Amino acid sequence: MFSTAYGTGRTVKKRAMKDVIGKRGENIVELCLTEYSNYPAPLFDLTHLGDKWPVVDYYVELTTVPGKRPFFFLQAKATAATTPKKSLAISTKRDDIASLLEIPAPTYNLGIHEPSKRVFIRSVHDGVAVKAITRIPIGYELTANNLKILHDEVVRFWRQRRHKPTNSVFL
Amino acid sequence: MNNTRAQAEIVGRRAELLAELFLQDLGATFVSRPTADTGIDFIVAFPNGQGGTNLSAVEVKATEHPVGDFYALDSKWYKRLANSNVPSLLLVVDAKHNRLYHAWPSEEDVKPNSGIRTIRIRITPIDDEVKEQIRERLAGAPAGGHR
C-alpha cells in the first residue's frame, strides 16, 4: 500500500497488518536485546515504534558509551515455523530492504523464532543487494556473544561520523 | 550505563517480560495488565477443564541477584495479595540470570495487627516440575474464591 505525504510526491509505505510481529514476538525481541547475564548491565535499550511507523519496528540505543547515545534500527519478522537447522526462513520484501537502505544509520532485519524464543539478525547496509532477504544463518543468532559483536559494530559506525551538526539556522 | 533509561527501569521491565512469557508458556488463555496501578501486575486466565476459565492475580518482583530461600516483601503488598478474592501468585524474577521463583501468598502468613513492615516468605525456584505444579494450580483453583 502506498500513500502520498505532504503533497510533495514523496511516497510513504504503510505496513500491512500481516507484517505486525505480535505482542509475543515484541516481548521476545525486547528480552533478547536487553539480555545481560554476561555483562554488568544491558548493552541496549529499545522502544517499539508502533505498527503505524513505516519500515522499522524498533529504535535501539546503546547504553554503554559515555556522553553519547549511538543507535540503530530494526525491522522484525516473526515465524512459528519448524526449528531452524542451517538458517531461519523469514519473509521480507524487496521494498523492505530498499527502504532500510534509505535510512542513514545501521539497520538490521530480525528473525524471531517464536516457539524457541530465539532471535536472529542480518544487516542491511551499503552494498547489500536490493532484494528480499529470505534466510538468516543460524550463526547470526543473537547470543550473548553476538550481542557484544553487534554493539561494537554500531559503536564503530558512529565513531566514523560527526556526533552532531556544527551549525544551524535555528541557533 | 549512560544517561538512558535507568537500569532499574530496564530490569523491572525485563522481569515483567520474563514473567509474561512464562505465564504464556504455561498455557494461559490471556495475560492482561491492569490499566490502573492496582498493585497487581497481571491478571491471568487458564481453562479449568470444565468449560470455564479461572482467573488469578500475579505480582512480579524484580531482582538482579540470585535469590535465597526467603524473600522480603512489604507487608502491605503481601496483605493485598493474600486477602484478594482470586488466587494470587508471587513471581520473583532474577532478570539478570533469567531465573524465576514463586510463592502463593496466604492470609495465614499474616499475623493480624502485627504492625510489621516486611514479611519474609519462603519462595521456591521454578523448574520444569514446579512449572507444571503452578500450571495445575492456576488452572484448577476453585471458581470464585481462593485457597
Side-chain angles (χ1 to χ4, degrees):
Chain A
M1 288 174 60
F2 293 82
S3 64
T4 304
Y6 313 121
T8 62
R10 173 172 169 248
T11 55
V12 174
K13 296 171 189 171
K14 290 190 177 175
R15 304 294 300 279
M17 286 306 294
K18 65 183 178 182
D19 292 336
V20 172
I21 66 171
K23 194 69 176 70
R24 181 176 167 86
E26 290 172 27
N27 290 351
I28 291 169
V29 169
E30 189 168 349
L31 274 174
C32 177
L33 269 290
T34 59
E35 166 65 38
Y36 70 113
S37 54
N38 286 13
Y39 309 108
L43 302 177
F44 306 108
D45 193 7
L46 68 162
T47 188
H48 188 248
L49 294 176
D51 303 331
K52 295 184 180 176
W53 191 259
V55 182
V56 292
D57 294 299
Y58 292 91
Y59 168 79
V60 187
E61 279 186 357
L62 276 62
T63 63
T64 58
V65 181
K68 295 187 179 177
R69 294 157 76 157
F71 62 91
F72 60 98
F73 295 98
L74 298 171
Q75 183 184 86
K77 305 286 183 183
T79 176
T82 53
T83 304
K85 293 180 180 174
K86 292 185 180 177
S87 60
L88 178 77
I90 63 169
S91 60
T92 67
K93 300 184 181 63
R94 180 189 182 284
D95 287 345
D96 290 334
I97 306 307
S99 297
L100 289 174
L101 286 168
E102 293 175 347
I103 297 173
T107 52
Y108 300 86
N109 276 130
L110 283 190
I112 303 141
H113 186 247
E114 286 199 9
S116 63
K117 304 193 210 63
R118 295 165 71 187
V119 179
F120 302 81
I121 189 166
R122 188 153 182 177
S123 174
V124 179
H125 55 266
D126 277 347
V128 164
V130 186
K131 61 178 185 177
I133 290 177
T134 59
R135 309 206 79 82
I136 303 179
I138 287 291
Y140 295 172
E141 181 174 358
L142 273 180
T143 59
N145 282 347
N146 278 346
L147 282 175
K148 186 63 165 64
I149 291 172
L150 171 64
H151 169 277
D152 294 348
E153 180 171 291
V154 174
V155 166
R156 276 197 303 274
F157 173 83
W158 288 111
R159 270 202 193 130
Q160 297 165 6
R161 280 147 186 84
R162 199 173 273 287
H163 176 61
K164 299 286 285 184
T166 55
N167 56 58
S168 170
V169 168
F170 308 103
L171 180 60
Chain B
M1 290 182 75
N2 62 15
N3 190 27
T4 55
R5 197 164 51 136
Q7 179 165 343
E9 199 176 328
I10 297 177
V11 170
R13 173 76 179 145
R14 276 189 62 79
E16 287 181 353
L17 291 174
L18 284 164
E20 188 170 356
L21 284 176
F22 167 74
L23 294 166
Q24 288 173 353
D25 289 345
L26 282 185
T29 306
F30 68 78
V31 181
S32 177
R33 293 174 192 262
T35 53
D37 184 10
T38 59
I40 294 170
D41 289 304
F42 297 109
I43 298 292
V44 296
F46 281 78
N48 61 16
Q50 291 146 13
T53 298
N54 286 344
L55 302 178
S56 301
V58 181
E59 174 68 9
V60 180
K61 293 296 182 188
T63 180
E64 293 186 271
H65 309 288
V67 182
D69 292 337
F70 289 88
Y71 185 80
L73 194 63
D74 187 300
S75 63
K76 286 184 187 174
W77 286 102
Y78 194 83
K79 285 176 189 172
R80 190 179 304 174
L81 294 173
N83 294 302
S84 298
N85 72 333
V86 292
S88 299
L89 172 65
L90 172 67
L91 290 177
V92 179
V93 181
D94 176 354
K96 179 173 171 67
H97 303 99
N98 303 316
R99 296 196 192 112
L100 279 72
Y101 307 79
H102 85 292
W104 296 96
S106 166
E107 57 190 352
E108 296 163 359
D109 297 322
V110 183
K111 293 177 184 159
N113 302 320
S114 63
I116 54 174
R117 295 183 65 180
T118 58
I119 292 178
R120 279 168 50 85
I121 56 172
R122 180 175 288 277
I123 56 173
T124 305
I126 297 178
D127 55 25
D128 287 343
E129 183 181 343
V130 171
K131 196 187 293 187
E132 182 56 25
Q133 293 170 2
I134 293 171
R135 192 201 63 76
E136 287 179 1
R137 188 157 172 177
L138 288 171
H146 72 285
R147 298 182 208 168

